[in-house]
Amino acid sequence: MPGSEVRPYYVPVGNEEHVFKAAFRQGLSVVLKGPTGCGKTRFVEAMAYDLKRPLITVACHDDLSTADLVGRFLLRGGDTEWVDGPLTRAVREGAICYLDEVVEARQDTTVVLHPLTDHRRQLPIERLGVTLDAAPGFCLVVSYNPGYQSVLKDLKDSTRQRMVAIELGFPAADVEEKIVAVEAGIDHDVAAQLVRVGQAIRRLENVGLREVASTRVLIAAGRLIGAGLSPREAARAAIVGPLTDDATVTAGLVELMDAYLADTSSPD
Amino acid sequence: MPGSEVRPYYVPVGNEEHVFKAAFRQGLSVVLKGPTGCGKTRFVEAMAYDLKRPLITVACHDDLSTADLVGRFLLRGGDTEWVDGPLTRAVREGAICYLDEVVEARQDTTVVLHPLTDHRRQLPIERLGVTLDAAPGFCLVVSYNPGYQSVLKDLKDSTRQRMVAIELGFPAADVEEKIVAVEAGIDHDVAAQLVRVGQAIRRLENVGLREVASTRVLIAAGRLIGAGLSPREAARAAIVGPLTDDATVTAGLVELMDAYLADTSSPD
Amino acid sequence: MPGSEVRPYYVPVGNEEHVFKAAFRQGLSVVLKGPTGCGKTRFVEAMAYDLKRPLITVACHDDLSTADLVGRFLLRGGDTEWVDGPLTRAVREGAICYLDEVVEARQDTTVVLHPLTDHRRQLPIERLGVTLDAAPGFCLVVSYNPGYQSVLKDLKDSTRQRMVAIELGFPAADVEEKIVAVEAGIDHDVAAQLVRVGQAIRRLENVGLREVASTRVLIAAGRLIGAGLSPREAARAAIVGPLTDDATVTAGLVELMDAYLADTSSPD
Amino acid sequence: MPGSEVRPYYVPVGNEEHVFKAAFRQGLSVVLKGPTGCGKTRFVEAMAYDLKRPLITVACHDDLSTADLVGRFLLRGGDTEWVDGPLTRAVREGAICYLDEVVEARQDTTVVLHPLTDHRRQLPIERLGVTLDAAPGFCLVVSYNPGYQSVLKDLKDSTRQRMVAIELGFPAADVEEKIVAVEAGIDHDVAAQLVRVGQAIRRLENVGLREVASTRVLIAAGRLIGAGLSPREAARAAIVGPLTDDATVTAGLVELMDAYLADTSSPD
Amino acid sequence: MPGSEVRPYYVPVGNEEHVFKAAFRQGLSVVLKGPTGCGKTRFVEAMAYDLKRPLITVACHDDLSTADLVGRFLLRGGDTEWVDGPLTRAVREGAICYLDEVVEARQDTTVVLHPLTDHRRQLPIERLGVTLDAAPGFCLVVSYNPGYQSVLKDLKDSTRQRMVAIELGFPAADVEEKIVAVEAGIDHDVAAQLVRVGQAIRRLENVGLREVASTRVLIAAGRLIGAGLSPREAARAAIVGPLTDDATVTAGLVELMDAYLADTSSPD
Amino acid sequence: MPGSEVRPYYVPVGNEEHVFKAAFRQGLSVVLKGPTGCGKTRFVEAMAYDLKRPLITVACHDDLSTADLVGRFLLRGGDTEWVDGPLTRAVREGAICYLDEVVEARQDTTVVLHPLTDHRRQLPIERLGVTLDAAPGFCLVVSYNPGYQSVLKDLKDSTRQRMVAIELGFPAADVEEKIVAVEAGIDHDVAAQLVRVGQAIRRLENVGLREVASTRVLIAAGRLIGAGLSPREAARAAIVGPLTDDATVTAGLVELMDAYLADTSSPD
């Protein structure tokens, strides 16, 4: 959200804004660790706003190549013309470059970051034969979800040790209620019910859920209620459905939900 | 079936139309879960008709790349020219974009959807260096069959939690009879016989069938009957043949069929 | 054999011609199941002749891509020009499109067939940004050999349930004798001897043969006899040699052959 | 050796010339089975000479694609121009096309051969949108070494059953002596010694040799003797060295050789 | 840092400068072995400065191809134009070419180095059909981290034996304190506290850390302190966060840190 | 080293020069077997000098394709132009073509060599549609290290049996002393010490060394001594460092070295 005129809505959970700004001032790179849907993207948007830097976001994936980040030659009018990738644009403009879910990228993507993340702050572009010095204000931010890591997909130690780590989690109940109410545009009581459902699910153990209910799905449920669904219909579609495909687990979650949700409309 | 003048024939099973329209109004993405041949495609066509949005469908597969969805440069007259992919067209036109069997696609395809499925509703096109805001009315719908999921092919949790889930199943017997009769153009009694065969097969356990008989194969059997085959010939070709290659299982299914089907024409 | 003036020689084994024509009239797709060399290709040729449709055949393989079926851009005179693939040609011309050994193709090839095999009868060509409606008379036929299936190579259930199945096997002895005599141009007695060898081999169990002797190899043996080889020489080269590389199995098959074949010429 | 004026030197081992010519007359394809270095290439050259057909040979390998066999578009003067591959040239010219070690090729290569090997005798060229009828005299010959086959690399049954099989082995001692003497240009006594060494090695069992000494290596040893090496030096370099890297096995083979070879020159 | 006017800050640990310069004078290649963050890059920069050679650095990765090192043809104005890669530039200019984390590169990358690392000192460029003699002053330096090696990723012996090995480790405490103080711009007492934390972590065994705290992370912690964070906040973000994602290990490291760090500001 | 005016320094170990020249005269191909650093490259250079043939060397690797050896079309001025690869150049010019570490190449590379290594001495260039006859003097030489072979990477038997094998090993002590003294430019006593170290290491068993000390590393140590390092410093950097990364093995090798090396300068 570069150039947005109002601060993106972000409520801090701990000292994360403090640490981020210190790293930024020192030209250090940042790795954000935290579960799905806890607000990592929104946090970076808020920091970019506060620090008055443009934000360039790249969603990482298996096929993201170095060329996708750095740039490539394209054929234009019979000639080849270099087109900067998002990382190169950020290096030239002094932007914050946010690589979302960086472990999804191939290792060549992360190794190309190394000279940017140590004292050199340089981006060598081998195909152009040039080495760019990062403009002041350039800051590299990557995120990943520690719960997903496997032997095959992990950040290399030589990459991790080049970054300052910030851990993000789900906010405390009162903060989360405020966020859900504001983001979904629903009243505080309904938001509080949804947060209690979310927290009950987060306390579950050994029921075969790979992930817990995130703040994001609570907001989605709130928005469905805002669009006229009953709380139970909304929670089933936005919270239970995304969490599991298993019929037994679904039944358990629905029962748990019913204990928390007042339902005055059409039964499911 | 964009622009069709009559509503595609779809009989609701539960509150799925209600939930879909609420998600659409809130700009939320939708994941349809359900078995092969239960009518997911037809449901999306009906929703597009009701909501007066064009529908762009993409059948996902192993080699579907981000470029296939987003677009690519093609060489035209010695110059490279950008050609929008189906997702980009849907984003520009405010269409419903339906990714059928999304888990077949490579993960890069699903990760590229992320910025479209959260508060940003944006499609970054890295090769053009632009970020599109989705036009009003754009809605992303994906489908998958939970029975097929494996460790290798599954929707990532960070993708699932960005979507509202709607579960579809086979319709109740009376509804299915009506659907088979209408779609195959056969009389109600024959349709009822076919539905009873389908339901008997769905009740079988541990006979080595990977899938049960779908509404789709019942309709196909009905159409073969309409083209002059006996019910037993039709059911063998359209129901049993697609379900198994095993001789013993075939014999069992044929015996089961015979109990339900009146057969007045040529023996098999 | 599109446009052939005489009907391709095909002797029906069961009701397969009846079922095929019913499926054709209903616009349903067909999957032919049967062992190597039982006459699947010839059957499709005969059906195309009877139904007066052109026939476009594609031999599927591991590297057959969607582009090979649908079409691609080629560089012509400095410009890119679209060239239809065989599937697209069949869709435009209302031809029968026969995908031989379809399980050899990559899954993307089979998924691209889906919209052609349900009520839509459409071929979306993503690279052109168009969706073709199949011309009347278009019919999709695929074949596979159930004996070859493995976990890795199988037709997806969602593909199978879109098709009417026809099982083909080896013909009865009297039919097969007639076929061998006609195709190899040899007299009926020699053909009968070869068919007896073929049937004896088909009755063998547990001797390490991966396939049994097909009608095709019996015809090849007949043709070698027609070219002057003794029956034993011919059967060894055309029947035993293709079936096994193992010396012990070879000796067993030769002994079995000797019991059935009169041999009046040069010993092997 | 197309167009050679003298018949390539080939001494028949059994009825292989008889069978080959019968298959050729019937337009059937041929698979040659036999160990490394037994003379498969030379046999095909002699057949091409006798049958007065040009010979086009392709050494198959892992990366041999269909395009390498059939042809491809090349950029010429800003335009794309089709260039026939060796298989297409053979089909047009009525040549014998010999695919050496065909199991090394990818399966797409062997599947593309199917329409050429049944009653159709056609080569569909999908990228040109044409189907060629094979010219009279076209004959497809493939070779493979049964000793090398594995689960991963084998000829598919549906391919094998389209071909007449000819098995080749090492010739009898008197024939092999003549071949070695003629090919290496050495006198008969030395050739006889080398053949005795070869046969002794072929009788060995369980000594860790993956292959036995072929006629080819005996000829190479003869040629080194012709160039001035002692028989023991020559046999060590041309026979033992290629057969094993193991020091113990080497010592055993050298001892065995010494029993058969008169050695009058420099010790090793 | 080619052309820098002040010597890069590097404090020697042993005889590494001595050995490097002897190898350089003899035209021998060098392999640097050492853990993440011990100063390998800085050491090479200091050597390039002392020896007055330009330095060309390449961060190696999985997709680094020979062409990326040696050069490639690019399309320019309708013609292909050769563009030197970084290795070729170094060979022509007599520069030091530093391949960082060379084992990450594919083996083709390391094999292409062979003729440069023996008596030939040549770079064959097969696509140009030329062989370059290395200019005087050219020196090849590669680095790797022995702790990372696996069966799959290791330097081939034939590559290792072409190089002089220099082992680098973490500096002694007094040297490391000086480095941390200078690099982070903090006073000596704080630097000493951080080094004691680092050394305590390096003494830990069996706590599930894949890597120990490097000099690099101690410097990063120092820089965060310089930017206003408390020592504990800084150490948690720059030292603990990068080392582990595990909650129990994190708690243990935080407790260990607390024993060494005076903390006068906001608690974490 | 084509065209060099003095004979490359090579001291024969056995009858290898004799065998090589006999194979050359007979137009036979040669496979050199021997450990890393024993002088295979130098041997081929000396043979090329003696036989007055140009030498073309190719370092083989995983990604070396047939096109890299044979040639490819390049785009020049809007047209495609064929550029010979090194093998084709050697075939045309009658050069010695040396494929170093041939087992590193993909199998397609070795199969393309087959017609060059039997009686045909031909190189078919499929993309040009031509078959080249090798010019007189053409000789194919390949090398490999038997110690490295695995199931995955080995020379196929059908390739091995097309070549004359020459085994090379480390020279006897007196010969190696002379080589080390001449190549490193050091006096004979120091060279003799280094050779004693090398031989002691070669006698070690079961200490976890994958390779022994080659003549090459002894020469490198000698050159470091010539550049001013003490023998112990030199041997540690050039001999021990390349052989092992293991601390215990390093300590053992250093102790062993100390027993053989007089050390008068700076301790390590």
Side-chain angles (χ1 to χ4, degrees), chain F residues 15 33 55 60 67 108 138 152 161 185 193 195 223 227 237 254 265:
Chain F
N15 70 345
K33 304 198 280 190
L55 174 61
C60 295
D108 64 324
F138 170 78
L152 286 175
Q161 297 212 4
Q193 284 180 45
V195 168
R223 288 170 70 184
V254 166
S265 69

Side-chain angles (χ1 to χ4, degrees), chain F residues 12-249:
Chain F
V13 177
N15 70 345
E16 69 267 27
E17 299 193 348
H18 194 40
V19 174
F20 189 98
K21 289 172 185 176
F24 176 83
R25 279 195 297 276
Q26 285 289 340
L28 295 168
S29 300
V30 174
V31 53
L32 302 179
K33 304 198 280 190
T36 296
C38 73
K40 293 189 292 284
T41 297
R42 193 64 71 86
F43 171 62
V44 179
E45 290 174 352
M47 291 302 96
Y49 178 89
D50 290 358
L51 294 163
K52 300 186 174 44
R53 306 305 318 154
L55 174 61
I56 295 177
T57 298
V58 180
C60 295
H61 53 74
D62 260 9
D63 280 334
L64 189 82
S65 66
T66 305
D68 289 327
L69 281 183
V70 172
R72 55 167 51 83
F73 284 101
L74 289 177
L75 207 61
R76 291 276 168 84
D79 207 350
T80 49
E81 185 182 307
W82 175 263
V83 178
D84 279 349
L87 180 64
T88 304
R89 287 205 314 277
V91 164
R92 290 193 204 270
E93 299 170 13
I96 293 176
C97 185
Y98 175 42
L99 304 182
D100 193 15
E101 304 208 31
V102 71
V103 293
E104 297 298 331
R106 298 186 307 206
Q107 286 204 341
D108 64 324
T109 307
T110 54
V111 170
V112 85
L113 303 174
H114 284 190
L116 275 171
T117 56
D118 59 24
H119 63 281
R120 292 172 283 179
R121 280 178 65 86
Q122 292 179 323
L123 177 65
I125 307 184
E126 279 152 25
R127 300 198 179 188
L128 289 180
V130 303
T131 296
L132 298 182
D133 292 305
F138 170 78
C139 180
L140 180 72
V141 184
V142 307
S143 73
Y144 82 108
N145 181 343
Y148 286 173
Q149 302 329 114
S150 66
V151 174
L152 286 175
K153 286 209 167 173
D154 200 349
L155 222 42
K156 293 174 56 175
D157 288 301
S158 61
T159 306
R160 293 167 68 107
Q161 297 212 4
R162 293 163 178 279
M163 298 182 172
V164 169
I166 295 175
E167 283 175 67
L168 295 177
F170 296 116
D174 57 336
V175 175
E176 195 169 34
E177 281 169 29
K178 192 161 47 167
I179 294 170
V180 171
V182 169
E183 295 269 345
I186 56 176
D187 67 46
H188 195 274
D189 280 357
V190 180
Q193 284 180 45
L194 289 171
V195 168
R196 280 196 291 275
V197 169
Q199 293 190 317
I201 291 175
R202 289 173 201 159
R203 282 190 301 266
L204 291 176
E205 284 183 2
N206 304 321
V207 297
L209 294 179
R210 290 173 306 184
E211 275 279 336
V212 296
S214 65
T215 309
R216 170 178 286 136
V217 301
L218 302 183
I219 295 169
R223 288 170 70 184
L224 289 181
I225 294 169
L229 294 197
S230 74
R232 288 181 181 174
E233 281 180 320
R236 171 129 198 198
I239 302 175
V240 178
L243 283 179
T244 186
D245 295 332
D246 184 273
T248 312
V249 177

Side-chain angles (χ1 to χ4, degrees), chain E residues 39-62:
Chain E
K40 294 190 291 284
T41 297
R42 192 65 70 86
F43 171 61
V44 180
E45 290 174 352
M47 290 302 96
Y49 179 89
D50 290 358
L51 294 163
K52 300 186 174 45
R53 306 305 319 154
L55 173 62
I56 295 177
T57 298
V58 181
C60 295
H61 54 74
D62 261 8

Side-chain angles (χ1 to χ4, degrees), chain A residues 120 124 126 129 131, chain E residues 1-2 44-45 48 53-59 68-69 84-100 138-141:
Chain A
R120 292 173 285 179
E126 279 151 26
T131 296
Chain E
M1 206 175 274
V44 180
E45 290 174 352
R53 306 305 319 154
L55 173 62
I56 295 177
T57 298
V58 181
D68 289 326
L69 281 183
D84 279 350
L87 180 64
T88 304
R89 287 204 314 276
V91 163
R92 291 193 203 269
E93 299 170 14
I96 294 176
C97 185
Y98 175 42
L99 304 182
D100 192 14
F138 170 78
C139 180
L140 180 72
V141 184

Side-chain angles (χ1 to χ4, degrees), chain E residues 156-168:
Chain E
K156 292 175 56 175
D157 288 301
S158 61
T159 306
R160 292 167 69 106
Q161 297 213 4
R162 291 162 179 279
M163 297 181 173
V164 169
I166 294 175
E167 283 174 66
L168 294 177

Side-chain angles (χ1 to χ4, degrees), chain D residues 82-135:
Chain D
W82 175 263
V83 179
D84 279 349
L87 179 64
T88 304
R89 286 205 315 276
V91 164
R92 289 192 205 270
E93 300 170 14
I96 294 176
C97 185
Y98 175 41
L99 304 183
D100 193 15
E101 305 207 31
V102 70
V103 294
E104 297 298 330
R106 299 187 306 208
Q107 287 205 340
D108 64 324
T109 306
T110 54
V111 171
V112 85
L113 303 174
H114 284 191
L116 275 170
T117 56
D118 59 24
H119 63 282
R120 291 172 285 179
R121 281 179 65 84
Q122 292 179 322
L123 178 64
I125 307 184
E126 279 152 26
R127 300 199 179 187
L128 290 180
V130 303
T131 296
L132 298 183
D133 291 304

Side-chain angles (χ1 to χ4, degrees), chain A residues 25-257:
Chain A
R25 279 194 297 276
Q26 284 290 340
L28 294 168
S29 300
V30 174
V31 53
L32 302 179
K33 305 198 281 192
T36 297
C38 74
K40 295 190 289 286
T41 297
R42 194 64 71 86
F43 171 61
V44 180
E45 289 174 352
M47 292 300 97
Y49 179 89
D50 290 358
L51 295 163
K52 299 183 174 50
R53 306 306 318 155
L55 172 61
I56 294 177
T57 298
V58 181
C60 295
H61 54 75
D62 259 11
D63 281 332
L64 190 83
S65 66
T66 305
D68 288 327
L69 281 184
V70 173
R72 54 167 50 85
F73 283 101
L74 288 177
L75 206 62
R76 292 275 167 84
D79 207 350
T80 48
E81 183 182 309
W82 176 263
V83 178
D84 279 351
L87 180 64
T88 304
R89 288 204 314 276
V91 163
R92 291 193 203 270
E93 300 169 14
I96 293 177
C97 186
Y98 175 41
L99 303 182
D100 192 14
E101 304 207 34
V102 72
V103 293
E104 297 297 331
R106 298 187 306 207
Q107 286 204 341
D108 63 324
T109 306
T110 53
V111 170
V112 84
L113 303 174
H114 284 191
L116 275 171
T117 55
D118 60 22
H119 64 281
R120 292 173 285 179
R121 281 179 64 86
Q122 291 178 325
L123 178 65
I125 307 183
E126 279 151 26
R127 299 197 179 189
L128 290 180
V130 302
T131 296
L132 298 183
D133 291 305
F138 170 78
C139 179
L140 180 72
V141 184
V142 307
S143 73
Y144 82 109
N145 180 342
Y148 287 173
Q149 302 330 112
S150 67
V151 175
L152 287 174
K153 286 207 168 176
D154 200 349
L155 220 45
K156 293 174 56 175
D157 288 302
S158 62
T159 306
R160 291 166 71 105
Q161 297 212 4
R162 291 162 179 279
M163 296 181 173
V164 169
I166 294 175
E167 284 174 66
L168 294 178
F170 295 117
D174 55 337
V175 175
E176 195 168 35
E177 281 169 28
K178 190 161 49 169
I179 293 171
V180 171
V182 169
E183 296 268 345
I186 54 176
D187 68 48
H188 195 275
D189 280 357
V190 180
Q193 285 180 43
L194 290 171
V195 168
R196 280 196 292 275
V197 170
Q199 292 190 317
I201 292 175
R202 289 173 200 158
R203 281 190 303 265
L204 292 175
E205 284 185 1
N206 304 321
V207 297
L209 295 178
R210 290 172 308 185
E211 275 279 335
V212 296
S214 65
T215 308
R216 171 178 286 137
V217 301
L218 302 183
I219 295 169
R223 288 170 69 185
L224 290 181
I225 294 168
L229 294 196
S230 73
R232 288 182 181 171
E233 282 179 319
R236 171 129 196 198
I239 303 176
V240 178
L243 283 179
T244 186
D245 294 332
D246 184 272
T248 313
V249 178
T250 296
L253 291 179
V254 166
E255 198 176 318
L256 181 150
M257 270 179 7

